[in-house]
Amino acid sequence: MDDQLSYAYAVVRPVPSLERDALHGLRGVADAPVALVHRGEVAAAVSPVSGSDFSEDALKAHLEDLDWLESVARAHHLVVETLGAYTTVLPLRLATVYLDDDRVGDMLGEREPSLDALLDRLADHVEWGVKVYADTTGTAPPSPDPPAEEPDPGRAYLRRRRHQRRAREDAWSSAAEAVRRVEDQVTGIAVAHARHRPQQGPLAAGSGENVANDAYLVPRRRAEEFQDRALHAADGLDGVRVEVTGPWVPYSFAEAPAPGAPEGARQR
């Protein structure tokens, strides 16, 4: 018979509505039910998962399977966001697993003071993402026509390249100014700021080059004010696009206390 492991999604501040409402019918990774493991003033949301999929060796193999990873990530995110609608949540890293629920409880007991402090810090706060793009499409003035007396196509090509380079430099300069404006506008609203690596390729949705990919921890009561200020910080700047997303559970500000996969699966 396949051994089962305990998949941990998040540490939470337990409230009656979690088990009464949030967890009722909630399915997580591998379509498994979600339950709470309690220790003192904190709890962890967990699901039973198959050792054949979540053991150390299995996880190493699954890292090459993008469809499998996407399925796990979506289920993980669904559980965390569902919990976040009811209580303060400290998200754990994707594929954090333990040998069983007792080991989850041991982790909670050993780290309850620090977990309690983190939950207090995150209470009534949400995360907002702010991405700034340098966008040269449709914003630069048309390239000047070559002089009539200059039929040399080589010179015309170099002129176009110089024009494109200047347009790109101008857009990046405007984007840098937009980043500064966003930070200035949200100072006094956001209580913490995290910088992430700019996204490239398929992760960078939409047009332009992602030059800033930041997260802000914002009091829930000021979320609308934050969103409005961030969205309009770059007004009047050509070649810039600002994208604001949220509110999210504060992933970027949760210092996950439990080791992630595959180490978690090796705990004894």
Side-chain angles (χ1 to χ4, degrees), residues 11-214:
V11 176
V12 300
R13 180 77 72 205
V15 295
S17 59
L18 274 182
E19 289 176 296
R20 185 186 66 233
D21 300 321
L23 301 186
H24 181 69
L26 180 62
R27 313 297 290 191
V29 170
D31 200 36
V34 182
L36 295 183
V37 174
H38 293 263
R39 284 296 185 278
E41 297 298 316
V42 299
V46 301
S47 284
V49 292
S50 168
S52 63
D53 279 328
F54 287 89
S55 67
E56 180 180 359
D57 290 340
L59 284 170
K60 286 180 179 178
H62 281 312
L63 289 177
E64 305 299 323
D65 186 343
L66 295 183
D67 290 337
W68 186 88
L69 285 175
E70 181 180 4
S71 174
V72 171
R74 287 182 181 277
H76 182 104
H77 180 72
L78 172 64
V79 171
V80 171
E81 290 295 321
T82 299
L83 298 171
Y86 290 83
T87 189
T88 305
V89 176
L90 179 64
L92 300 178
R93 286 185 291 176
L94 189 70
T96 295
V97 292
Y98 291 86
L99 290 177
D100 52 39
D101 287 358
D102 288 340
R103 305 303 171 91
V104 177
D106 290 342
M107 179 276 291
L108 294 175
E110 292 168 2
R111 304 179 184 183
E112 184 180 356
S114 61
L115 292 170
D116 198 53
L118 277 169
L119 288 167
D120 282 346
R121 176 174 178 259
L122 298 178
D124 296 318
H125 287 73
V126 291
E127 176 174 328
W128 284 87
V130 179
K131 296 178 184 178
V132 177
Y133 294 85
D135 191 350
T136 61
T137 59
T139 58
S143 178
D145 294 329
E149 67 274 10
E150 184 185 286
D152 187 343
R155 290 187 178 182
Y157 170 78
L158 291 176
R159 181 180 292 105
R160 289 195 301 271
R161 289 296 301 271
R162 286 195 298 270
H163 177 79
Q164 292 167 355
R165 184 173 63 252
R166 285 197 300 269
R168 185 174 185 274
E169 290 171 351
D170 289 346
W172 273 74
S173 177
S174 294
E177 173 62 20
V179 173
R180 288 190 290 271
R181 289 189 186 182
V182 169
E183 292 177 0
D184 288 344
Q185 285 294 315
V186 303
T187 296
I189 300 177
V191 300
H193 177 199
R195 294 192 184 277
H196 299 303
R197 180 180 300 176
Q199 294 180 331
Q200 298 178 337
L203 293 176
S207 61
E209 298 177 68
N210 184 209
V211 299
N213 179 19
D214 295 350

